């Protein structure tokens, strides 16, 4: 692990929960901070591992995986800069319940837990922001659980594509993230064959355009409508 840059000068902090911290607080977070680069496909965090500190995805994209039985996996979230990884496990002092894999080359900052807790204890507004963040995450996960267990296949895939479009809408209209059909199926909790068939259905209905692994969202409003519908196939 090496040190690179610093929290005070980081231009990405304005998009993070650290946006309103002062220079002294950011310097505290920067003390003994580590920096690691992961290549595409490398594991950033493994299920059962102890979370080493406050892990911040500085650049790149990563998939958060829940490992199921028989070697299957479910992608429960796609992380982008400047999200925290293993945040709840760090605070709860429990091993990681998810595996995190780099979808492209990623830069990771690891902040000492003791330094983070010092800033948290000394800044009540920051503590409130963290509580609000955790509450929002709980709501998001509850909604995700409903999607994965109660919605029909078309609805699940439409919601997955909507989520991808909101997070990774590129300048050329294509998603700025490249995922395999297996990964898309994993996000929507469906088989690869069903994901491929449903994607082609969406293409025929002119909601998306497909070009190899690249996906362009043509009718985001229509996808949103499908994701909230009540008919389809489980």
């Amino acid at each position: 692990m090496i040190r690179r840059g610093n929290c005070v000068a980081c231009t990405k902090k304005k998009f993070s929960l650290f946006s309103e911290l002062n220079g002294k607080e950011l310097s505290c977070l920067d003390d003994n901070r580590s920096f690691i680069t992961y290549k595409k496909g490398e594991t950033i965090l493994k299920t059962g591992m102890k979370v080493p500190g406050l892990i911040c995805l500085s650049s790149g994209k990563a998939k958060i995986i829940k490992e199921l039985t028989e070697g299957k996996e479910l992608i429960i979230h796609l992380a982008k800069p400047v999200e925290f990884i293993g945040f709840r496990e760090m605070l709860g002092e429990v091993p990681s319940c998810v595996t995190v894999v780099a979808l492209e080359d990623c830069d990771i900052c690891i902040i000492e837990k003791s330094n983070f807790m010092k800033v948290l204890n000394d800044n009540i507004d920051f503590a409130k922001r963290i509580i609000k963040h955790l509450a929002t995450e709980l709501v998001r996960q509850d909604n995700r659980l409903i999607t994965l267990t109660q919605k029909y296949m078309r609805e699940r895939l439409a919601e997955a594509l909507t989520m991808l479009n909101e997070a990774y809408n590129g300048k050329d209209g294509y998603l700025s993230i490249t995922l395999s059909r297996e990964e898309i199926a994993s996000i929507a909790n469906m088989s690869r064959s069903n994901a491929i068939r449903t994607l082609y259905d969406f293409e025929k209905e002119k909601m998306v355009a497909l070009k190899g692994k690249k996906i362009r969202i043509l009718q985001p409003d229509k996808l949103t409508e499908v994701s909230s519908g009540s008919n389809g196939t489980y």
Side-chain angles (χ1 to χ4, degrees):
M1 292 188 293
I2 62 173
R3 291 176 59 81
R4 186 181 298 179
N6 61 75
C7 294
V8 179
C10 180
T11 58
K12 301 182 186 73
K13 67 177 182 293
K14 63 183 178 181
F15 303 113
S16 77
L17 292 170
F18 297 158
S19 59
E20 297 181 20
L21 296 181
N22 61 40
K24 181 179 179 181
E25 292 165 332
L26 290 170
S27 293
C28 179
L29 295 177
D30 193 52
D31 190 30
N32 293 321
R33 177 184 54 82
S34 301
F35 181 95
I36 312 175
T37 294
Y38 289 89
K39 296 296 183 181
K40 179 180 179 179
E42 289 187 332
T43 299
I44 297 171
L45 187 64
K46 183 73 175 174
T47 299
M49 281 179 55
K50 179 181 178 181
V51 180
L54 181 62
I55 305 173
C56 179
L57 179 60
S58 179
S59 68
K61 304 179 182 74
K63 58 181 178 179
I64 315 297
I65 301 167
K66 191 72 174 178
E67 296 179 354
L68 307 177
T69 57
E70 301 177 353
K72 295 182 179 179
E73 63 181 40
L74 184 65
I75 298 177
I76 59 175
H77 183 58
L78 294 171
K80 60 185 186 300
V82 275
E83 291 189 37
F84 296 143
I85 294 171
F87 191 33
R88 292 168 303 163
E89 290 90 340
M90 182 201 73
L91 291 176
E93 298 183 342
V94 295
S96 176
C97 63
V98 296
T99 294
V100 183
V101 178
L103 284 169
E104 59 187 35
D105 292 355
C106 293
D107 292 331
I108 298 291
C109 286
I110 303 178
I111 295 170
E112 290 276 352
K113 179 183 176 181
S114 58
N115 294 347
F116 172 77
M117 295 305 298
K118 180 179 185 335
V119 174
L120 190 68
N121 290 329
D122 293 345
N123 187 329
I124 188 169
D125 289 332
F126 181 55
K128 289 178 179 178
R129 200 176 312 134
I130 294 298
I131 292 172
K132 183 177 179 180
H133 169 74
L134 291 173
T136 301
E137 280 296 293
L138 285 173
V139 171
R140 181 187 65 78
Q141 290 179 14
D142 285 347
N143 291 335
R144 185 90 170 99
L145 181 62
I146 291 172
T147 294
L148 295 175
T149 59
Q150 298 184 22
K151 287 190 174 184
Y152 295 100
M153 283 196 304
R154 275 177 61 89
E155 296 167 8
R156 294 201 299 272
L157 186 57
E159 183 165 309
L161 292 173
T162 298
M163 177 180 70
L164 289 170
N165 189 49
E166 290 173 350
Y168 305 115
N169 186 8
K171 293 180 180 179
D172 59 356
Y174 286 91
L175 299 178
S176 62
I177 185 171
T178 302
L179 298 170
S180 68
R181 296 297 187 257
E182 189 72 39
E183 288 171 323
I184 291 175
S186 181
I187 296 171
N189 191 26
M190 57 201 298
S191 69
R192 181 177 180 274
S193 59
N194 282 333
I196 291 173
R197 185 171 61 250
T198 308
L199 265 177
Y200 284 138
D201 286 343
F202 287 172
E203 184 178 37
K204 290 176 183 177
E205 296 167 40
K206 301 189 184 303
M207 288 189 282
V208 304
L210 305 177
K211 186 179 180 181
K213 289 185 179 180
K214 299 186 71 176
I215 299 174
R216 185 178 183 182
I217 307 301
L218 301 177
Q219 297 189 64
D221 292 341
K222 181 64 174 178
L223 278 176
T224 300
E225 181 182 331
V226 172
S227 72
S228 60
S230 58
N231 46 51
T233 304
Y234 277 116

